[in-house]
Amino acid sequence: MNNFSIAIHGGAGTLVKGLMTPELEAEYKAALQNALTQGYAVLEKGASALDAVEVAVRLLEDSPLFNAGKGSVFTAEGTHEMDAAIMNGENLKAGAVSLITGIKNPVSLARDIMDKSYHVFLAGEGAMQFAKSNGYTIESPNYFYDEVRYKQWQGIKDSDNFQLDHSVKKDGKFGTVGAVACDQKGNIAAATSTGGMTNKKWGRVGDSPMIGAGTYANNNTCAVSCTGSGEYFIRGVVAYDVSCLMEHKGMSVEEASNEVINNRILKIQGDGGLIAIDTKGNIAMPFNTEGMYRACKTSSGKEVIAIYKEN
């Protein structure tokens, strides 16, 4: 039996300890623990890495603490536009969705695009039509309303400013969620979901739903889910870059992940982090910011739940 393991993230950024109360930190860690435990349980039963990452990301989407699903930030129009992607390393099948509203679990819609359509990426009104044709309930805006998110938006609405959920105006809530896993058969998968930027305009799409930029999985190398300043991760094709370094340079998943996050992406002023896993269940979780909500659990007994840089 192959070593199996899972890693999850809830966003990276300027997570200043002084602004984090013990109670809030406990809430974040509990939410990470829940998603980690449930995702790992899927692997423990012998189910696929694909199932495990979907379960873990759905739980993070259901938490108002993270900028995905229920916790999605407000756009310039006062709506919630969500993006997600999922990829199967066994056969390179993938599904992605962008600019959708009212969908409780965008990661599951991304999976249905992969499993039930001939396409990889659907967006906007077409994606909503696909969701309705597959029986999705369209939630009311009240489901996604969060007082802290609303105040965050009120501070910059009617301006040309936008705000990454982890940027300078820190309110204790931070971005994108994702998961990577390796199952008992040695197959790997990745999934990512996000609510984007506060006050975003013009149908802006970040790296999260883009296969190769924010999400990637290939049994020959690794599975990756990214979080950070999306424009830079798109330019750096970050998720695929990790895979390329492993494939063409012979790097380990840890070496390749560290090279991309702490060297290559920094050269173009990109900030953020990623989680990655290989087919042996080895995990890397590098970030070049003050913190990244992250957790991992392996069949060899390792378990980590962390927010800040560890000494």
Side-chain angles (χ1 to χ4, degrees):
M1 184 179 70
N2 195 75
N3 287 328
F4 58 93
S5 53
I6 186 169
I8 63 174
H9 73 75
T14 309
L15 320 186
V16 179
K17 286 187 180 182
L19 296 178
M20 176 72 79
T21 65
E23 293 78 15
L24 192 56
E25 185 169 335
E27 283 184 43
Y28 277 111
K29 287 187 173 179
L32 289 169
Q33 178 75 72
N34 182 45
L36 184 71
T37 300
Q38 302 275 5
Y40 184 82
V42 172
L43 298 174
E44 206 167 28
K45 291 174 187 170
S48 70
L50 200 64
D51 288 341
V53 296
E54 182 184 3
V55 164
V57 170
R58 280 177 63 97
L59 288 164
L60 293 169
E61 287 174 335
D62 290 344
S63 169
L65 294 171
F66 303 105
N67 178 18
K70 186 173 179 62
S72 295
V73 297
F74 285 82
T75 67
E77 286 75 38
T79 61
H80 306 276
E81 287 183 347
M82 296 168 284
D83 308 331
I86 193 166
M87 188 165 184
N88 186 352
E90 183 180 7
N91 51 23
L92 300 188
K93 288 187 176 180
V97 66
S98 185
L99 304 176
I100 56 167
T101 58
I103 302 296
K104 182 179 178 183
N105 294 114
V107 70
S108 292
L109 182 55
R111 179 153 186 192
D112 279 340
I113 291 168
M114 178 179 74
D115 290 341
K116 300 177 181 178
S117 82
Y118 294 103
H119 308 299
V120 171
F121 204 149
L122 299 182
E125 184 53 39
M128 295 301 296
Q129 290 174 13
F130 177 84
K132 290 170 187 173
S133 71
N134 280 276
Y136 278 75
T137 299
I138 307 304
E139 304 289 342
S140 74
N142 289 339
Y143 173 80
F144 300 94
Y145 181 86
D146 179 82
E147 186 67 23
V148 175
R149 296 283 190 221
Y150 184 74
K151 288 179 179 176
Q152 185 184 42
W153 174 52
Q154 290 296 301
I156 58 173
K157 68 175 287 197
D158 301 324
S159 75
D160 288 329
N161 297 325
F162 59 84
Q163 185 177 315
L164 282 172
D165 199 38
H166 57 252
S167 60
V168 179
K169 284 185 71 175
K170 298 171 280 288
D171 64 6
K173 296 202 172 195
F174 309 92
T176 316
V177 304
V180 295
C182 175
D183 62 32
Q184 294 184 23
K185 294 180 179 178
N187 293 317
I188 56 178
T192 314
S193 182
T194 186
M197 291 177 165
T198 296
N199 208 43
K200 72 173 184 174
K201 300 180 181 180
W202 308 304
R204 179 263 182 187
V205 179
D207 65 303
S208 298
M210 294 188 187
I211 302 304
T215 307
Y216 189 71
N218 185 333
N219 273 13
N220 290 328
T221 51
C222 61
V224 181
S225 174
C226 299
T227 173
S229 301
E231 277 67 17
Y232 298 94
F233 280 64
I234 293 168
R235 294 172 199 164
V237 199
V238 167
Y240 185 67
D241 204 18
V242 175
S243 174
C244 268
L245 289 171
M246 292 179 68
E247 182 175 2
H248 299 296
K249 292 286 190 180
M251 291 186 180
S252 69
V253 66
E254 185 167 5
E255 289 169 340
S257 298
N258 284 328
E259 167 65 17
V260 170
I261 291 299
N262 294 311
N263 186 17
R264 292 161 81 97
I265 196 71
L266 277 180
K267 285 182 178 177
I268 57 170
Q269 285 80 52
D271 66 330
L274 62 81
I275 52 174
I277 199 166
D278 66 15
T279 56
K280 302 295 184 186
N282 297 308
I283 291 168
M285 301 190 291
F287 54 97
N288 61 30
T289 50
E290 286 195 43
M292 179 171 75
Y293 293 106
R294 63 200 186 278
C296 67
K297 187 169 184 177
T298 73
S299 57
S300 60
K302 179 183 180 182
E303 182 169 337
V304 173
I305 297 175
I307 298 176
Y308 306 104
K309 287 191 183 295
E310 295 171 326
N311 296 326

